[in-house]
Structure formats: structure tokens, C-alpha cells
């Protein structure tokens, strides 16, 4: 049984993950360290209802107590700092999406992995059943991927990263550049569209409806056919956890490495840079990415202000 320590319960993922894990015998949340915006009442009830053993008073205490850390706070600018408590102890760490929000921390994550750190992440959409099924089809049957179109809602980064990671997984190629196409407006709603080019000629568009949840709908155009799918959200977390646990148990798994995961962050950053520069094409390895970032502290403040109790 793999013993998991969770860092912060800001979002719903710890509750959803714990509920899934408690129905099996592979892993279990056993301790929590919380310095996020959730109060003691929610933390205590999470511990009670999900059968955790301990509330730790420091990140170091948590890292000493468990086999693996799950960093699940909503402020991605704190993720790397939290993760280092586990990495410095040669313990694996899972970092929830978005893994980080700037290009310098992308570089640091790759460097840490190259030096032996086991860093797992990030978006469940990358490993959803629909994406994995398509990738199991022989190319001789499904054809080569020409273009991917994917929809997502809520916001341009915290939620849109799901679409970007799924898109990058389906392309099976390194993204090269991003162009902000434009924003449509109707009845106080807006939808932003970004165009992505990959090595080998594959292209993609992702569309984000601001402030409103929409389903993950994916259209894949290949050299021989077209494929349409709607991601089953009810199966998202289980599919991700299966891959994470396979990795931790030394089994074959489909987890992306840090270069692949951080390429998704760079796509998002390049999209932001392009938007701020009137739709200029921005390469994901451009030095221009250093001029933009997604502000995790600002997001945490806004998220906390709107959050309702979910652990009581």
C-alpha cells in the first residue's frame, strides 16, 4: 500500500482522488499538510471522512511521514517549493495541474528530472480513456494526425491546461509555435481561440469559453478519417491515478516526462504572449516567453474568494 501525503486541499481533487483510492488497495492518503485557504474545519473533516492518520504541522514532517507527496494546492507558484521537500528526500512527488506557471520553473523541473527526481503530473485529460484509446489505434488504421480541435471552458490556464495537455498527447509531436487567433463575443460570453503548430506538420486549435464550463469535445482529422469524442469526466481521475500508481509500483505506464508536460505550459505561455502582441506567432522556445507568466498568487486569491466549503 502506497502511503500518500497531500499538500493543501484547496480544490476538489484530494477529495475525489481519496474516494477513488479508498475503493482499492493500491494506495491511500494517510496525512495532510495544509497552509492554503481551507479552514481547520474542512481539514479535520477531510481527515475523518477519508480515514487519514495525521495532520502535519510542516511540509517537512509530511515528507518524512509518507512514501509520495501529492501537491494539490491551487497556487501553482508554490508547487515547486512544496515539491522540493519530497525531492530532497529522494521521494517521488505528484504535482497537480497546472504544474507551474512560468518558463524558468519549467526549466527547473526538467533539470530536476534529469538529475534523478521522480516528478509526476499533471492533467488528467492527458490520460483520459478517449485519448488513450485513439493512441492505441495503429496508424495504418487511423491515419496520420493532420489537425486536432478541442474545446474547454472556465479560464485560459488553470482549466484550459487540460485541453492543451490532451492536445499535445494526441499530436505525439513537439509543439513549435502558438498564435492567438481571436475572441468571439455573444450574450456576455466570450471564446478565445489559439492555433498551434507541431513538428511534422500537425496543427491544432483549442477554444476556451471564459467563465463557463463546457465539455471536453475533441475532433481529430487524420489522413484517412475523422474522429469525434466527448471526454467522460466521470472516468478522468481514475485513469490518471492508474498511470501514477503504475509508475510508483514500477509497472509499465503512459506518464509523460517533464519535457512533455512543460511543453504544454510553454504552449499556454506562448498563447498568452501572442494574445498580448496582437496575434503574433510565438515559438515555444522563444526568449519572449520569459516576459509572460500566469500569476498563481492572484489566481489563489480569486479562487479562495469564490470557493464554497466542499469538505464539510
Amino acid at each position: 500500500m502506497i502511503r500518500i501525503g497531500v499538500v493543501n486541499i484547496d480544490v476538489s481533487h484530494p477529495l475525489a482522488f481519496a474516494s477513488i483510492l479508498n475503493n482499492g488497495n493500491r494506495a491511500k492518503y494517510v496525512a495532510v499538510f495544509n497552509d492554503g485557504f481551507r479552514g481547520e474545519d474542512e481539514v479535520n473533516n477531510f481527515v475523518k471522512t477519508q480515514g487519514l492518520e495525521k495532520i502535519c504541522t510542516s511540509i517537512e514532517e509530511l515528507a518524512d511521514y509518507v512514501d509520495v507527496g501529492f501537491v494539490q494546492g491551487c497556487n501553482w507558484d508554490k508547487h515547486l517549493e512544496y515539491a522540493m521537500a519530497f525531492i530532497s528526500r529522494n521521494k517521488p512527488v505528484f504535482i497537480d495541474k497546472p504544474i507551474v506557471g512560468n518558463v524558468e520553473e519549467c526549466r527547473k523541473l526538467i533539470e530536476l528530472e534529469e538529475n534523478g527526481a521522480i516528478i509526476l503530473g499533471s492533467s488528467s485529460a492527458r490520460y483520459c480513456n478517449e485519448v488513450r484509446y485513439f493512441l492505441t489505434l495503429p496508424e495504418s488504421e487511423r491515419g496520420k494526425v493532420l489537425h486536432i480541435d478541442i474545446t474547454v471552458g472556465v479560464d485560459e490556464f488553470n482549466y484550459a491546461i487540460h485541453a492543451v495537455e490532451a492536445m499535445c498527447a494526441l499530436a505525439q509531436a513537439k509543439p513549435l509555435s502558438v498564435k492567438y487567433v481571436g475572441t468571439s463575443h455573444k450574450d456576455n460570453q466570450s471564446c478565445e481561440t489559439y492555433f498551434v503548430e507541431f513538428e511534422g506538420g500537425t496543427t491544432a486549435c483549442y477554444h476556451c469559453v471564459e467563465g463557463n464550463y463546457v465539455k471536453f469535445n475533441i475532433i481529430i482529422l487524420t489522413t484517412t478519417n475523422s474522429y469525434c469524442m466527448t471526454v467522460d469526466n466521470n472516468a478522468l481521475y481514475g485513469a490518471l491515478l492508474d498511470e501514477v500508481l503504475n509508475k510508483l509500483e514500477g509497472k509499465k505506464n503512459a506518464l509523460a516526462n517533464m519535457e512533455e508536460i512543460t511543453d504544454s505550459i510553454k504552449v499556454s505561455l506562448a498563447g498568452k504572449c501572442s494574445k498580448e502582441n496582437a496575434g503574433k506567432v510565438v515559438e515555444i522556445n522563444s526568449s519572449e516567453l520569459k516576459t509572460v507568466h500566469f500569476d498563481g498568487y492572484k489566481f489563489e486569491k480569486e479562487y479562495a474568494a469564490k470557493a464554497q466549503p466542499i469538505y464539510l
Side-chain angles (χ1 to χ4, degrees), residues 70-106:
F70 274 34
V71 177
Q72 300 192 281
C74 69
N75 183 346
W76 51 81
D77 285 335
K78 296 179 182 178
H79 283 177
L80 188 53
E81 178 185 351
Y82 289 136
M84 290 306 301
F86 301 93
I87 293 169
S88 65
R89 289 163 171 75
N90 295 315
K91 292 185 177 183
V93 60
F94 169 85
I95 307 177
D96 217 328
K97 63 83 189 171
I99 196 164
V100 291
N102 63 75
V103 71
E104 175 57 26
E105 290 191 337
C106 288

mmCIF file of all heavy atoms in Angstrom, residues 70-106:
data_model
loop_
_atom_site.group_PDB
_atom_site.id
_atom_site.type_symbol
_atom_site.label_atom_id
_atom_site.label_comp_id
_atom_site.label_asym_id
_atom_site.label_seq_id
_atom_site.Cartn_x
_atom_site.Cartn_y
_atom_site.Cartn_z
ATOM 1 N N PHE A 70 1.595 14.393 -2.848
ATOM 2 C CA PHE A 70 0.664 14.903 -3.862
ATOM 3 C C PHE A 70 0.461 16.398 -3.575
ATOM 4 O O PHE A 70 -0.206 16.758 -2.608
ATOM 5 C CB PHE A 70 -0.683 14.176 -3.793
ATOM 6 C CG PHE A 70 -0.754 12.896 -4.572
ATOM 7 C CD1 PHE A 70 0.351 12.071 -4.696
ATOM 8 C CD2 PHE A 70 -1.937 12.504 -5.185
ATOM 9 C CE1 PHE A 70 0.277 10.879 -5.416
ATOM 10 C CE2 PHE A 70 -2.022 11.325 -5.908
ATOM 11 C CZ PHE A 70 -0.910 10.510 -6.018
ATOM 12 N N VAL A 71 1.072 17.232 -4.389
ATOM 13 C CA VAL A 71 0.955 18.679 -4.230
ATOM 14 C C VAL A 71 -0.290 19.132 -4.978
ATOM 15 O O VAL A 71 -0.332 19.092 -6.206
ATOM 16 C CB VAL A 71 2.211 19.393 -4.756
ATOM 17 C CG1 VAL A 71 2.041 20.908 -4.660
ATOM 18 C CG2 VAL A 71 3.446 18.942 -3.976
ATOM 19 N N GLN A 72 -1.318 19.570 -4.244
ATOM 20 C CA GLN A 72 -2.610 19.831 -4.860
ATOM 21 C C GLN A 72 -3.208 21.186 -4.491
ATOM 22 O O GLN A 72 -4.412 21.394 -4.574
ATOM 23 C CB GLN A 72 -3.575 18.683 -4.524
ATOM 24 C CG GLN A 72 -3.054 17.340 -5.046
ATOM 25 C CD GLN A 72 -4.056 16.223 -5.021
ATOM 26 O OE1 GLN A 72 -4.295 15.632 -3.980
ATOM 27 N NE2 GLN A 72 -4.639 15.921 -6.176
ATOM 28 N N GLY A 73 -2.351 22.131 -4.112
ATOM 29 C CA GLY A 73 -2.821 23.480 -3.888
ATOM 30 C C GLY A 73 -3.135 24.182 -5.191
ATOM 31 O O GLY A 73 -2.588 23.846 -6.239
ATOM 32 N N CYS A 74 -3.997 25.195 -5.131
ATOM 33 C CA CYS A 74 -4.421 25.862 -6.364
ATOM 34 C C CYS A 74 -3.416 26.901 -6.853
ATOM 35 O O CYS A 74 -3.506 27.366 -7.988
ATOM 36 C CB CYS A 74 -5.791 26.511 -6.166
ATOM 37 S SG CYS A 74 -5.795 27.934 -5.046
ATOM 38 N N ASN A 75 -2.443 27.273 -6.006
ATOM 39 C CA ASN A 75 -1.446 28.273 -6.380
ATOM 40 C C ASN A 75 -0.232 27.578 -6.973
ATOM 41 O O ASN A 75 0.635 27.075 -6.254
ATOM 42 C CB ASN A 75 -1.044 29.115 -5.166
ATOM 43 C CG ASN A 75 -0.076 30.225 -5.508
ATOM 44 O OD1 ASN A 75 0.518 30.256 -6.582
ATOM 45 N ND2 ASN A 75 0.098 31.153 -4.592
ATOM 46 N N TRP A 76 -0.142 27.572 -8.296
ATOM 47 C CA TRP A 76 0.949 26.868 -8.967
ATOM 48 C C TRP A 76 2.303 27.511 -8.721
ATOM 49 O O TRP A 76 3.329 26.865 -8.890
ATOM 50 C CB TRP A 76 0.671 26.773 -10.472
ATOM 51 C CG TRP A 76 0.311 28.087 -11.105
ATOM 52 C CD1 TRP A 76 1.156 29.079 -11.506
ATOM 53 C CD2 TRP A 76 -1.005 28.553 -11.406
ATOM 54 N NE1 TRP A 76 0.465 30.133 -12.032
ATOM 55 C CE2 TRP A 76 -0.876 29.834 -11.993
ATOM 56 C CE3 TRP A 76 -2.283 28.016 -11.249
ATOM 57 C CZ2 TRP A 76 -1.973 30.595 -12.415
ATOM 58 C CZ3 TRP A 76 -3.382 28.776 -11.667
ATOM 59 C CH2 TRP A 76 -3.224 30.039 -12.243
ATOM 60 N N ASP A 77 2.329 28.760 -8.275
ATOM 61 C CA ASP A 77 3.613 29.402 -7.975
ATOM 62 C C ASP A 77 4.240 28.857 -6.690
ATOM 63 O O ASP A 77 5.407 29.135 -6.403
ATOM 64 C CB ASP A 77 3.438 30.918 -7.853
ATOM 65 C CG ASP A 77 3.265 31.595 -9.210
ATOM 66 O OD1 ASP A 77 3.739 31.030 -10.216
ATOM 67 O OD2 ASP A 77 2.648 32.668 -9.268
ATOM 68 N N LYS A 78 3.488 28.081 -5.912
ATOM 69 C CA LYS A 78 4.022 27.436 -4.707
ATOM 70 C C LYS A 78 4.391 25.968 -4.957
ATOM 71 O O LYS A 78 5.001 25.335 -4.086
ATOM 72 C CB LYS A 78 2.988 27.495 -3.579
ATOM 73 C CG LYS A 78 2.635 28.888 -3.093
ATOM 74 C CD LYS A 78 1.579 28.801 -1.999
ATOM 75 C CE LYS A 78 1.151 30.170 -1.492
ATOM 76 N NZ LYS A 78 0.080 30.055 -0.459
ATOM 77 N N HIS A 79 4.016 25.431 -6.101
ATOM 78 C CA HIS A 79 4.153 23.992 -6.333
ATOM 79 C C HIS A 79 5.595 23.494 -6.220
ATOM 80 O O HIS A 79 5.868 22.478 -5.574
ATOM 81 C CB HIS A 79 3.598 23.632 -7.711
ATOM 82 C CG HIS A 79 2.107 23.589 -7.760
ATOM 83 N ND1 HIS A 79 1.400 23.353 -8.917
ATOM 84 C CD2 HIS A 79 1.167 23.744 -6.788
ATOM 85 C CE1 HIS A 79 0.106 23.364 -8.666
ATOM 86 N NE2 HIS A 79 -0.057 23.610 -7.381
ATOM 87 N N LEU A 80 6.514 24.187 -6.867
ATOM 88 C CA LEU A 80 7.895 23.720 -6.890
ATOM 89 C C LEU A 80 8.509 23.746 -5.499
ATOM 90 O O LEU A 80 9.228 22.813 -5.104
ATOM 91 C CB LEU A 80 8.715 24.560 -7.873
ATOM 92 C CG LEU A 80 10.139 24.078 -8.149
ATOM 93 C CD1 LEU A 80 10.151 22.619 -8.577
ATOM 94 C CD2 LEU A 80 10.796 24.954 -9.215
ATOM 95 N N GLU A 81 8.213 24.797 -4.735
ATOM 96 C CA GLU A 81 8.727 24.888 -3.363
ATOM 97 C C GLU A 81 8.230 23.717 -2.525
ATOM 98 O O GLU A 81 8.999 23.085 -1.781
ATOM 99 C CB GLU A 81 8.287 26.205 -2.734
ATOM 100 C CG GLU A 81 8.721 26.379 -1.292
ATOM 101 C CD GLU A 81 8.176 27.643 -0.658
ATOM 102 O OE1 GLU A 81 7.598 28.482 -1.385
ATOM 103 O OE2 GLU A 81 8.324 27.782 0.572
ATOM 104 N N TYR A 82 6.945 23.409 -2.615
ATOM 105 C CA TYR A 82 6.402 22.267 -1.884
ATOM 106 C C TYR A 82 7.054 20.960 -2.349
ATOM 107 O O TYR A 82 7.404 20.099 -1.538
ATOM 108 C CB TYR A 82 4.896 22.161 -2.108
ATOM 109 C CG TYR A 82 4.055 23.219 -1.439
ATOM 110 C CD1 TYR A 82 3.012 23.838 -2.139
ATOM 111 C CD2 TYR A 82 4.255 23.587 -0.112
ATOM 112 C CE1 TYR A 82 2.211 24.796 -1.537
ATOM 113 C CE2 TYR A 82 3.455 24.548 0.495
ATOM 114 C CZ TYR A 82 2.435 25.153 -0.222
ATOM 115 O OH TYR A 82 1.640 26.097 0.368
ATOM 116 N N ALA A 83 7.192 20.807 -3.651
ATOM 117 C CA ALA A 83 7.721 19.563 -4.206
ATOM 118 C C ALA A 83 9.141 19.283 -3.739
ATOM 119 O O ALA A 83 9.536 18.120 -3.568
ATOM 120 C CB ALA A 83 7.673 19.615 -5.732
ATOM 121 N N MET A 84 9.911 20.336 -3.506
ATOM 122 C CA MET A 84 11.310 20.150 -3.123
ATOM 123 C C MET A 84 11.453 19.422 -1.786
ATOM 124 O O MET A 84 12.470 18.761 -1.551
ATOM 125 C CB MET A 84 12.029 21.493 -3.062
ATOM 126 C CG MET A 84 12.259 22.144 -4.425
ATOM 127 S SD MET A 84 13.104 21.061 -5.616
ATOM 128 C CE MET A 84 14.643 20.719 -4.744
ATOM 129 N N ALA A 85 10.462 19.508 -0.918
ATOM 130 C CA ALA A 85 10.526 18.781 0.350
ATOM 131 C C ALA A 85 10.602 17.277 0.107
ATOM 132 O O ALA A 85 11.277 16.550 0.855
ATOM 133 C CB ALA A 85 9.319 19.118 1.215
ATOM 134 N N PHE A 86 9.925 16.799 -0.909
ATOM 135 C CA PHE A 86 9.939 15.369 -1.240
ATOM 136 C C PHE A 86 11.162 15.019 -2.088
ATOM 137 O O PHE A 86 11.825 14.002 -1.857
ATOM 138 C CB PHE A 86 8.643 14.999 -1.967
ATOM 139 C CG PHE A 86 7.416 15.292 -1.165
ATOM 140 C CD1 PHE A 86 6.747 16.506 -1.294
ATOM 141 C CD2 PHE A 86 6.942 14.382 -0.234
ATOM 142 C CE1 PHE A 86 5.639 16.800 -0.533
ATOM 143 C CE2 PHE A 86 5.828 14.664 0.539
ATOM 144 C CZ PHE A 86 5.174 15.883 0.401
ATOM 145 N N ILE A 87 11.461 15.866 -3.064
ATOM 146 C CA ILE A 87 12.599 15.617 -3.949
ATOM 147 C C ILE A 87 13.897 15.565 -3.151
ATOM 148 O O ILE A 87 14.759 14.711 -3.389
ATOM 149 C CB ILE A 87 12.659 16.698 -5.042
ATOM 150 C CG1 ILE A 87 11.447 16.567 -5.975
ATOM 151 C CG2 ILE A 87 13.955 16.595 -5.849
ATOM 152 C CD1 ILE A 87 11.266 17.734 -6.932
ATOM 153 N N SER A 88 14.054 16.460 -2.178
ATOM 154 C CA SER A 88 15.281 16.492 -1.378
ATOM 155 C C SER A 88 15.432 15.238 -0.518
ATOM 156 O O SER A 88 16.534 14.922 -0.065
ATOM 157 C CB SER A 88 15.300 17.735 -0.486
ATOM 158 O OG SER A 88 14.256 17.695 0.477
ATOM 159 N N ARG A 89 14.335 14.528 -0.311
ATOM 160 C CA ARG A 89 14.366 13.274 0.449
ATOM 161 C C ARG A 89 14.354 12.056 -0.469
ATOM 162 O O ARG A 89 14.137 10.927 -0.013
ATOM 163 C CB ARG A 89 13.181 13.226 1.413
ATOM 164 C CG ARG A 89 13.306 14.196 2.587
ATOM 165 C CD ARG A 89 11.980 14.425 3.284
ATOM 166 N NE ARG A 89 12.120 15.190 4.525
ATOM 167 C CZ ARG A 89 12.336 16.499 4.580
ATOM 168 N NH1 ARG A 89 12.431 17.196 3.447
ATOM 169 N NH2 ARG A 89 12.467 17.111 5.740
ATOM 170 N N ASN A 90 14.567 12.299 -1.750
ATOM 171 C CA ASN A 90 14.565 11.231 -2.755
ATOM 172 C C ASN A 90 13.250 10.474 -2.795
ATOM 173 O O ASN A 90 13.218 9.252 -3.000
ATOM 174 C CB ASN A 90 15.729 10.259 -2.516
ATOM 175 C CG ASN A 90 17.077 10.918 -2.698
ATOM 176 O OD1 ASN A 90 17.292 11.651 -3.668
ATOM 177 N ND2 ASN A 90 17.983 10.667 -1.776
ATOM 178 N N LYS A 91 12.162 11.222 -2.574
ATOM 179 C CA LYS A 91 10.835 10.639 -2.653
ATOM 180 C C LYS A 91 10.098 11.207 -3.868
ATOM 181 O O LYS A 91 10.287 12.373 -4.226
ATOM 182 C CB LYS A 91 10.044 10.930 -1.375
ATOM 183 C CG LYS A 91 10.596 10.208 -0.151
ATOM 184 C CD LYS A 91 9.722 10.413 1.074
ATOM 185 C CE LYS A 91 10.265 9.622 2.264
ATOM 186 N NZ LYS A 91 9.402 9.747 3.463
ATOM 187 N N PRO A 92 9.262 10.399 -4.502
ATOM 188 C CA PRO A 92 8.512 10.890 -5.666
ATOM 189 C C PRO A 92 7.459 11.901 -5.253
ATOM 190 O O PRO A 92 6.983 11.897 -4.112
ATOM 191 C CB PRO A 92 7.874 9.624 -6.244
ATOM 192 C CG PRO A 92 7.836 8.662 -5.102
ATOM 193 C CD PRO A 92 9.000 8.974 -4.227
ATOM 194 N N VAL A 93 7.088 12.747 -6.202
ATOM 195 C CA VAL A 93 6.064 13.749 -5.933
ATOM 196 C C VAL A 93 5.188 13.915 -7.162
ATOM 197 O O VAL A 93 5.677 13.971 -8.291
ATOM 198 C CB VAL A 93 6.694 15.095 -5.514
ATOM 199 C CG1 VAL A 93 7.610 15.653 -6.593
ATOM 200 C CG2 VAL A 93 5.624 16.108 -5.119
ATOM 201 N N PHE A 94 3.881 13.947 -6.928
ATOM 202 C CA PHE A 94 2.910 14.259 -7.964
ATOM 203 C C PHE A 94 2.500 15.713 -7.790
ATOM 204 O O PHE A 94 2.163 16.138 -6.682
ATOM 205 C CB PHE A 94 1.672 13.358 -7.839
ATOM 206 C CG PHE A 94 0.509 13.793 -8.695
ATOM 207 C CD1 PHE A 94 0.428 13.407 -10.024
ATOM 208 C CD2 PHE A 94 -0.501 14.601 -8.179
ATOM 209 C CE1 PHE A 94 -0.640 13.809 -10.819
ATOM 210 C CE2 PHE A 94 -1.567 15.007 -8.959
ATOM 211 C CZ PHE A 94 -1.632 14.615 -10.291
ATOM 212 N N ILE A 95 2.558 16.481 -8.885
ATOM 213 C CA ILE A 95 2.159 17.883 -8.849
ATOM 214 C C ILE A 95 0.932 18.052 -9.730
ATOM 215 O O ILE A 95 0.976 17.766 -10.927
ATOM 216 C CB ILE A 95 3.287 18.811 -9.317
ATOM 217 C CG1 ILE A 95 4.583 18.539 -8.539
ATOM 218 C CG2 ILE A 95 2.867 20.269 -9.152
ATOM 219 C CD1 ILE A 95 5.763 19.377 -9.007
ATOM 220 N N ASP A 96 -0.138 18.522 -9.129
ATOM 221 C CA ASP A 96 -1.400 18.673 -9.853
ATOM 222 C C ASP A 96 -1.309 19.820 -10.856
ATOM 223 O O ASP A 96 -0.402 20.658 -10.808
ATOM 224 C CB ASP A 96 -2.532 18.923 -8.857
ATOM 225 C CG ASP A 96 -3.829 18.235 -9.269
ATOM 226 O OD1 ASP A 96 -4.067 18.097 -10.479
ATOM 227 O OD2 ASP A 96 -4.603 17.852 -8.372
ATOM 228 N N LYS A 97 -2.263 19.851 -11.745
ATOM 229 C CA LYS A 97 -2.269 20.870 -12.796
ATOM 230 C C LYS A 97 -2.687 22.225 -12.257
ATOM 231 O O LYS A 97 -3.422 22.281 -11.255
ATOM 232 C CB LYS A 97 -3.190 20.431 -13.943
ATOM 233 C CG LYS A 97 -4.675 20.274 -13.560
ATOM 234 C CD LYS A 97 -5.428 21.580 -13.580
ATOM 235 C CE LYS A 97 -6.802 21.493 -13.013
ATOM 236 N NZ LYS A 97 -7.438 22.825 -12.844
ATOM 237 N N PRO A 98 -2.295 23.332 -12.888
ATOM 238 C CA PRO A 98 -1.143 23.430 -13.783
ATOM 239 C C PRO A 98 0.147 23.268 -12.975
ATOM 240 O O PRO A 98 0.255 23.805 -11.872
ATOM 241 C CB PRO A 98 -1.240 24.847 -14.360
ATOM 242 C CG PRO A 98 -2.614 25.341 -14.008
ATOM 243 C CD PRO A 98 -2.989 24.625 -12.749
ATOM 244 N N ILE A 99 1.096 22.569 -13.516
ATOM 245 C CA ILE A 99 2.257 22.174 -12.720
ATOM 246 C C ILE A 99 3.075 23.374 -12.267
ATOM 247 O O ILE A 99 3.491 23.447 -11.115
ATOM 248 C CB ILE A 99 3.084 21.129 -13.495
ATOM 249 C CG1 ILE A 99 4.055 20.406 -12.577
ATOM 250 C CG2 ILE A 99 3.745 21.717 -14.720
ATOM 251 C CD1 ILE A 99 4.612 19.122 -13.156
ATOM 252 N N VAL A 100 3.297 24.350 -13.148
ATOM 253 C CA VAL A 100 3.927 25.635 -12.829
ATOM 254 C C VAL A 100 3.364 26.676 -13.785
ATOM 255 O O VAL A 100 2.600 26.340 -14.698
ATOM 256 C CB VAL A 100 5.480 25.586 -12.930
ATOM 257 C CG1 VAL A 100 6.083 24.731 -11.829
ATOM 258 C CG2 VAL A 100 5.923 25.098 -14.308
ATOM 259 N N GLY A 101 3.790 27.935 -13.610
ATOM 260 C CA GLY A 101 3.207 28.994 -14.430
ATOM 261 C C GLY A 101 4.185 29.907 -15.120
ATOM 262 O O GLY A 101 3.799 30.959 -15.632
ATOM 263 N N ASN A 102 5.474 29.504 -15.179
ATOM 264 C CA ASN A 102 6.458 30.330 -15.878
ATOM 265 C C ASN A 102 7.551 29.457 -16.472
ATOM 266 O O ASN A 102 7.738 28.300 -16.064
ATOM 267 C CB ASN A 102 7.051 31.383 -14.941
ATOM 268 C CG ASN A 102 7.819 30.779 -13.779
ATOM 269 O OD1 ASN A 102 8.933 30.288 -13.940
ATOM 270 N ND2 ASN A 102 7.221 30.797 -12.589
ATOM 271 N N VAL A 103 8.273 30.002 -17.426
ATOM 272 C CA VAL A 103 9.231 29.216 -18.201
ATOM 273 C C VAL A 103 10.459 28.832 -17.374
ATOM 274 O O VAL A 103 11.056 27.772 -17.595
ATOM 275 C CB VAL A 103 9.629 29.970 -19.489
ATOM 276 C CG1 VAL A 103 10.503 31.172 -19.201
ATOM 277 C CG2 VAL A 103 10.301 29.031 -20.486
ATOM 278 N N GLU A 104 10.850 29.669 -16.410
ATOM 279 C CA GLU A 104 12.017 29.345 -15.587
ATOM 280 C C GLU A 104 11.758 28.109 -14.733
ATOM 281 O O GLU A 104 12.634 27.244 -14.582
ATOM 282 C CB GLU A 104 12.389 30.534 -14.702
ATOM 283 C CG GLU A 104 13.526 30.268 -13.725
ATOM 284 C CD GLU A 104 14.829 29.810 -14.372
ATOM 285 O OE1 GLU A 104 15.068 30.144 -15.551
ATOM 286 O OE2 GLU A 104 15.600 29.101 -13.693
ATOM 287 N N GLU A 105 10.569 27.973 -14.179
ATOM 288 C CA GLU A 105 10.264 26.792 -13.380
ATOM 289 C C GLU A 105 10.069 25.564 -14.263
ATOM 290 O O GLU A 105 10.316 24.443 -13.811
ATOM 291 C CB GLU A 105 9.052 27.056 -12.486
ATOM 292 C CG GLU A 105 9.370 28.047 -11.373
ATOM 293 C CD GLU A 105 8.297 28.139 -10.317
ATOM 294 O OE1 GLU A 105 7.129 27.800 -10.585
ATOM 295 O OE2 GLU A 105 8.638 28.560 -9.187
ATOM 296 N N CYS A 106 9.671 25.759 -15.510
ATOM 297 C CA CYS A 106 9.664 24.643 -16.469
ATOM 298 C C CYS A 106 11.078 24.090 -16.631
ATOM 299 O O CYS A 106 11.300 22.872 -16.600
ATOM 300 C CB CYS A 106 9.143 25.111 -17.829
ATOM 301 S SG CYS A 106 7.379 25.446 -17.908
#
